Amino acid sequence: MSPAPKINWFRFASPQSFYPLAGRLWTVFALLAAGFAVAGLWVSFFVAPVDAQQGQGYRIIFVHVPAAWMAMFLYVVMAGWAAVGLVFNLRLASMMASAIAPTGALFAVLSLWTGALWGKPMWGAWWVWDARLTSTLILFFLYLGFLALQAAIDDPRRADRAGALIALVGVVNVPIIYFSVKWWNTLHQGASVSVGSSPSMANSMLWGMLLMVMACWMYAAAAGLSRVRSIILERERHADWVKNAVAQSW
Amino acid sequence: MGGYAFYVWGSFGVTAAALAVEAMLLRARRRHAVRQAALPEESMP
């Protein structure tokens, strides 16, 4: 049997060829993030009307919902890359998981923070131990567990494998967060936007929120790609191509 | 902001600050990684 032809799409699975691609991509995503943020903030503060029940206070939705969505979404993406790295023994996939984790943890903190600042005026409490809030706190601890476990293991590939396991075990928490407002009685309001039903909010509010979600999405992509470049340099620093790349770019 | 200024600006302000800090940390990590990779092999950690 003749050897299988070399498949081209796996070229970017090697850190060496992904490094320059990530360098071009992260600037594109950063510019898109800035553009979406300007548009989203403009709609959030100048176009979207005042809420009938919550007055101006509801505008926290434009930062709270994107942060909470990103915290959940990034966890799934991180676990996905970690799984690919584990199953196919692919260094770059594991590096992507490590690169996403800090940004995901940051968005988890921001969703809890903005949620507290929204809860206080509307519910009268910064924090309640209900299902949605508690499961989001657990999400934050899962990010911390992933980061701490990876930091505690010196050998990067062993750290990748251990981190992948905690990421995959923890992914069960994401649907729990998502459905918590349906499964349990809670102070937290139900979803304003969901698949299969028309959104229960004014059009301009919805657009403001979606623009802000896009801004956060693009920001997270830019941050992850920028961080993975540093991780590649750190881990592959003994390789010749890194020495050449650094000598040229500095 | 109809009495909600503290809560609204507290949310948006802290989010903006956090993302700005992360961007600074990313830049610092990049600088450190490049400097380390540029070291001669024998003095590299």
Side-chain angles (χ1 to χ4, degrees):
Chain A
M1 226 170 94
S2 63
K6 203 158 175 72
I7 299 169
N8 217 354
W9 348 294
F10 287 115
R11 198 163 76 81
F12 288 116
S14 101
Q16 179 176 2
S17 37
F18 188 67
Y19 177 81
L21 177 68
R24 285 194 294 276
L25 284 177
W26 88 260
T27 34
V28 173
F29 283 122
L31 289 172
L32 286 171
F36 278 117
V38 168
L41 288 169
W42 181 68
V43 174
S44 302
F45 284 102
F46 298 108
V47 179
V50 176
D51 187 70
Q53 285 177 6
Q54 302 195 354
Q56 302 281 8
Y58 91 96
R59 293 194 198 276
I60 295 173
I61 200 176
F62 296 120
V63 61
H64 176 69
V65 169
W69 280 3
M70 290 313 296
M72 289 192 284
F73 174 74
L74 288 177
Y75 193 92
V76 175
V77 175
M78 176 185 90
W81 281 122
V84 170
L86 188 67
V87 172
F88 299 104
N89 200 18
L90 210 62
R91 294 199 315 284
L92 183 62
S94 302
M95 292 182 203
M96 281 302 295
S98 308
I100 290 166
T103 303
L106 180 67
F107 276 113
V109 170
L110 289 173
S111 78
L112 294 169
W113 174 268
T114 55
L117 281 169
W118 201 2
K120 183 65 180 170
M122 301 306 164
W123 303 339
W126 300 106
W127 178 262
V128 286
W129 289 102
D130 92 332
R132 171 65 57 101
L133 281 68
T134 308
S135 52
T136 304
L137 184 65
I138 291 172
L139 181 74
F140 173 58
F141 288 148
L142 285 167
Y143 276 121
L144 285 191
F146 177 87
L147 289 166
L149 190 62
Q150 287 219 311
I153 301 173
D154 286 334
D155 175 27
R157 291 303 289 152
R158 284 175 65 101
D160 285 343
R161 283 196 292 275
L165 290 178
I166 195 174
L168 286 170
V169 171
V171 86
V172 72
N173 188 39
V174 173
I176 294 179
I177 301 175
Y178 188 78
F179 292 111
S180 58
V181 287
K182 283 189 185 165
W183 291 347
W184 291 285
N185 285 318
T186 168
L187 264 182
H188 197 286
Q189 67 189 71
S192 302
V193 181
S194 59
V195 182
S197 63
S198 55
S200 58
M201 61 201 300
N203 249 336
S204 54
M205 293 183 188
L206 179 67
W207 274 106
M209 209 172 79
L210 293 181
L211 285 168
M212 292 298 279
V213 168
M214 286 304 289
C216 289
W217 210 330
M218 297 297 125
Y219 170 84
L225 287 168
S226 163
R227 190 177 287 110
V228 83
R229 273 164 63 83
S230 295
I231 293 176
I232 290 172
L233 288 186
E234 287 160 12
R235 291 209 191 169
E236 313 273 298
R237 62 184 181 275
H238 299 293
D240 285 336
W241 76 264
V242 168
K243 295 191 172 63
N244 295 334
V246 165
Q248 281 164 20
S249 75
W250 185 245
Chain B
M1 278 288 133
Y4 294 111
F6 170 74
Y7 303 102
V8 173
W9 298 126
S11 300
F12 280 87
V14 168
T15 301
L19 300 189
V21 167
E22 192 189 18
M24 275 158 48
L25 290 174
L26 282 169
R27 170 172 280 219
R29 184 168 183 175
R30 159 102 187 141
R31 287 220 179 113
H32 183 259
V34 168
R35 202 172 300 139
Q36 193 182 51
L39 289 174
E41 187 67 41
E42 58 276 9
S43 54
M44 204 181 268

